[in-house]
Amino acid sequence: MNLTREPESYPRPQNVPAWLGRKVIFLARGMGRALMLLASAVRTIFPHAFTVRARREIGNQMYIGGIMSLGVVTVVALFTGMILALQTGIELRRFGQEVFIGSAVMMSMLREMGPFMSGIILAASVGASIAAQMGTMVVSEEIAALEVMSISPVRFLVMPRLVAMAIMTPLLSLYGCLMGVLGGGIVGETQLGVAWAAYIQNSTRFVGVKDVYVGMLKAFVFGIIIVIVACHEGFGTTNGAVGVGNSTRRSVVISFLAILISGFFITRFFYV
Amino acid sequence: MIRFDRVSKSLLGRLVLNDVSFEVAKGASLAIVGPSGAGKSVTLKHMICLLRPDVGSVEIGGDAISEARGSELDRIRRRFGVLFQSSALLEWLTVAENVALPLREKTAMSEEDIISTVNERLRLVGLEEDREKHPSELSGGMKKRAGLARALAEDPEIVLYDEPTSGLDPVSARSIDNLINTTRKDLGVTSVVVTHDLHSALSVGTSIAMIYRGAIVEMCSPSEFVRSENDIVQQFLKAQYITDSGAWEIKQ
Ligand SMILES: Nc1ncnc2c1ncn2[C@@H]1O[C@H](COP(=O)(O)OP(=O)(O)OP(=O)(O)O)[C@@H](O)[C@H]1O
Ligand SMILES: [Mg+2]
């Protein structure tokens, strides 16, 4: 598979149906290509991911993508939990049931907010940086050089990032859930008069294994989406520096949409 | 060794190669000259299948690279070392790691052998001092030389040079020319050198091809080239002050 693409130009569509039809075809083509990229990256995992050099690179990517996002995930998750607790707390107070903020925060963090939040944060930071890096490498002929040296960019560049983010996104999501619950607890204690012990007891009361693993699965899928979309868009860069900007932007927008849509379907599949 | 058979290619609806045919014999050296945008880099990219022809075929030592896919393509590409116009060094690796990359990734060489090969190649291009620098810390000319060291790392049979001397001072440029000549003579590699610089072309080419607007307008030996009647060639020669073909031959 040739990763980089020749620039294409098509005549301007003449009417709305033509324009719409073209959009649909390009969308289908883009999805097909991205899935093929995913398939070829997965195929390289087993023979290649366990060499010393690959393991080191995966570790490096886990650090860049995961550890370096800890700060922003901490802040966002804390405040998400605090907002959730405050909003639900205000409503529940009317019924004198403030203590239930614990399970409200825990459930929404585990099921939706944790994976979603880490997905969005990573798509906007790690995904954007991957797309920009790949795009720049296309423009400066580095991808071409790798291909000519028969060093597969899929194995050398995509696979380590894919493995790293498939591991780190669920972990970050779980960490985000804990931070969210902590934030909720702080609000409960200071604003709503819910004692810490009661809060924790209430929040763990209804949690099932399913809430944890479906959330983790979601984050896992999001991690894969982020890397594949970013690499796919990056490799498709044409047109120099402007092209790199476009690819980065498209990568962020597309992974946001893909995260939302796939998140809905995973929820639908497991909870309905 | 390299054979273009009636290759045509359009990019963005514009014909950038128009019915190009030529051959480079094993051990020979073809210098491709021509104005900017003429299609020199595009020609070079066809040799390593970074672009596929719309019409026609490209053969490398009898294998049709323009049709090859997958492992077949890898096998043919292995015969090449390529110096890209933009050097194409990986930014996050040092010079030495860049040169070592093809050896580490593709061969089963021991680490000592790799290091000694890398040192030898860096010495060849005069970059031993800068081995620990990253590409962003190098000047344009140094990047070129690092790219050259990487292209030569695996003892290729065919080396493609896209503007090896542009952006270099005249002294370094001539030393790169000498390097191209010695690798060709000592290692018997076939080379293709794309350049704007006629002095360079005349000293490294066993034949010279002039590309103009996607077509080869002249292809002959250096001594015939300086005497060519072709208008475009004449313009090119004059622009680089090679007006006296006799004087050039005496210099040789
Ligand atoms: N990726 C591309 N997309 C669109 N057009 C291209 C692309 N690459 C090359 N072209 C077009 O093909 C023509 C030949 O380009 P090429 O890069 O071969 O020129 P060149 O002879 O190498 O010039 P230079 O000496 O400036 O490097 C140019 O007109 C250029 O516009
Ligand atoms: Mg060029």
Side-chain angles (χ1 to χ4, degrees):
Chain A
M1 183 172 61
N2 245 348
L3 278 175
T4 52
R5 267 176 245 138
E6 285 175 22
E8 301 166 325
S9 73
Y10 298 94
R12 189 177 274 280
Q14 294 300 312
N15 47 36
V16 176
W19 174 82
L20 207 65
R22 181 173 293 174
K23 286 278 172 204
V24 171
I25 291 171
F26 282 4
L27 179 69
R29 188 179 68 174
M31 277 166 70
R33 282 182 177 156
L35 286 174
M36 267 161 61
L37 179 63
L38 173 62
S40 52
V42 169
R43 269 204 301 274
T44 60
I45 291 178
F46 285 101
H48 299 294
F50 303 100
T51 63
V52 178
R53 293 164 53 74
R55 280 205 310 259
R56 198 180 304 145
E57 178 61 10
I58 291 171
N60 183 26
Q61 292 301 329
M62 284 167 78
Y63 177 76
I64 295 173
I67 308 299
M68 279 168 64
S69 309
L70 270 179
V72 55
V73 170
T74 306
V75 175
V76 174
L78 263 178
F79 277 89
T80 309
M82 286 162 71
I83 292 168
L84 275 172
L86 207 54
Q87 285 287 9
T88 47
I90 292 165
E91 288 303 307
L92 288 169
R93 181 183 273 167
R94 291 201 284 173
F95 311 104
Q97 301 287 354
E98 296 98 311
V99 72
F100 280 98
I101 58 167
S103 44
V105 172
M106 184 64 121
M107 285 302 182
S108 36
M109 286 307 292
L110 274 181
R111 286 186 177 187
E112 299 294 340
M113 291 312 286
F116 182 66
M117 191 194 66
S118 42
I120 294 291
I121 291 173
L122 294 179
S125 56
V126 182
S129 93
I130 292 177
Q133 192 194 348
M134 299 299 141
T136 311
M137 288 182 74
V138 169
V139 170
S140 61
E141 299 179 307
E142 289 166 52
I143 301 289
L146 287 173
E147 287 191 319
V148 171
M149 291 190 284
S150 299
I151 299 171
S152 156
V154 174
R155 169 177 68 77
F156 188 69
L157 299 169
V158 182
M159 186 271 283
R161 287 168 176 75
L162 183 70
V163 173
M165 292 314 284
I167 297 171
M168 286 317 275
T169 318
L171 293 181
L172 273 176
S173 159
L174 205 61
Y175 168 79
C177 295
L178 294 178
M179 285 297 119
V181 172
L182 179 68
I186 294 171
V187 165
E189 177 87 46
T190 59
Q191 315 284 311
L192 299 162
V194 178
W196 182 254
Y199 173 83
I200 293 298
Q201 204 241 335
N202 181 276
S203 61
T204 48
R205 199 163 127 202
F206 300 104
V207 175
V209 187
K210 186 174 168 189
D211 298 312
V212 179
Y213 77 73
V214 175
M216 300 273 281
L217 173 74
K218 256 188 204 167
F220 173 78
V221 172
F222 295 167
I224 290 172
I225 288 175
I226 290 165
V227 173
I228 293 298
V229 169
C231 289
H232 175 256
E233 292 303 318
F235 288 146
T237 302
T238 54
N239 286 339
V242 179
V244 174
N246 283 337
S247 310
T248 308
R249 175 179 146 170
R250 286 168 52 86
S251 149
V252 173
V253 172
I254 294 174
S255 35
F256 274 21
L257 295 179
I259 283 172
L260 271 169
I261 294 169
S262 61
F264 170 80
F265 282 105
I266 295 173
T267 305
R268 169 77 181 65
F269 183 79
F270 281 96
Y271 290 104
V272 179
Chain B
M1 195 66 168
I2 304 173
R3 211 165 86 88
F4 269 56
D5 190 14
R6 312 207 62 173
V7 172
S8 296
K9 177 76 181 172
S10 299
L11 285 170
L12 290 180
R14 236 164 43 77
L15 195 61
V16 290
L17 286 187
N18 184 5
D19 201 15
V20 170
S21 301
F22 63 87
E23 237 175 290
V24 187
K26 188 169 167 53
S29 157
L30 174 70
I32 301 178
V33 296
S36 201
K40 305 184 296 294
S41 300
V42 170
T43 307
L44 217 56
K45 283 180 182 163
H46 276 85
M47 294 179 189
I48 39 182
C49 203
L50 288 173
L51 291 171
R52 287 178 200 269
D54 297 336
V55 184
S57 71
V58 181
E59 281 177 26
I60 305 301
D63 300 316
I65 194 170
S66 51
E67 308 300 326
R69 318 246 159 198
S71 57
E72 166 79 0
L73 182 57
D74 279 349
R75 187 180 62 76
I76 306 174
R77 276 177 172 167
R78 257 168 213 230
R79 305 168 74 166
F80 283 96
V82 183
L83 170 62
F84 283 85
Q85 189 162 3
S86 54
S87 302
L89 301 164
L90 301 185
E91 292 291 336
W92 67 92
L93 298 179
T94 63
V95 168
E97 285 166 342
N98 263 294
V99 178
L101 185 74
L103 305 172
R104 292 212 172 108
E105 290 292 326
K106 292 192 306 184
T107 64
M109 277 168 83
S110 70
E111 197 54 31
E112 292 98 75
D113 289 348
I114 290 179
I115 289 171
S116 74
T117 310
V118 169
N119 287 340
E120 199 245 312
R121 295 295 187 272
L122 288 177
R123 192 157 43 246
L124 195 66
V125 298
L127 280 180
E128 308 121 292
E129 315 274 276
D130 308 287
R131 49 177 300 127
E132 296 308 327
K133 287 191 180 149
H134 285 264
S136 53
E137 302 166 69
L138 301 181
S139 72
M142 289 156 91
K143 279 187 197 165
K144 281 264 148 76
R145 287 186 276 153
L148 190 56
R150 185 179 69 180
L152 298 176
E154 279 192 291
D155 294 323
E157 285 174 67
I158 309 170
V159 187
L160 309 182
Y161 306 87
D162 198 347
E163 316 226 346
T165 56
S166 71
L168 293 187
D169 63 277
V171 179
S172 312
R174 295 295 86 84
S175 78
I176 295 280
D177 290 346
N178 291 335
L179 199 61
I180 294 173
N181 273 325
T182 48
T183 46
R184 185 173 65 81
K185 287 177 186 141
D186 299 352
L187 310 173
V189 304
T190 309
S191 35
V192 177
V193 186
V194 162
T195 179
H196 285 128
D197 178 358
L198 266 183
H199 294 276
S200 174
L202 291 167
S203 71
V204 299
T206 54
S207 61
I208 300 187
M210 174 94 195
I211 295 196
Y212 185 71
R213 297 202 176 153
I216 295 190
V217 294
E218 182 76 286
M219 180 161 169
C220 53
S221 72
S223 50
E224 285 162 356
F225 192 84
V226 290
R227 279 195 238 98
S228 167
E229 301 287 311
N230 187 299
D231 281 349
I232 298 153
V233 176
Q234 280 298 329
Q235 270 180 25
F236 226 73
L237 290 169
K238 287 215 188 73
Q240 304 207 10
Y241 307 109
I242 307 180
T243 43
D244 185 354
S245 51
W248 177 76
E249 272 175 73
I250 291 162
K251 202 179 84 189
Q252 293 291 295

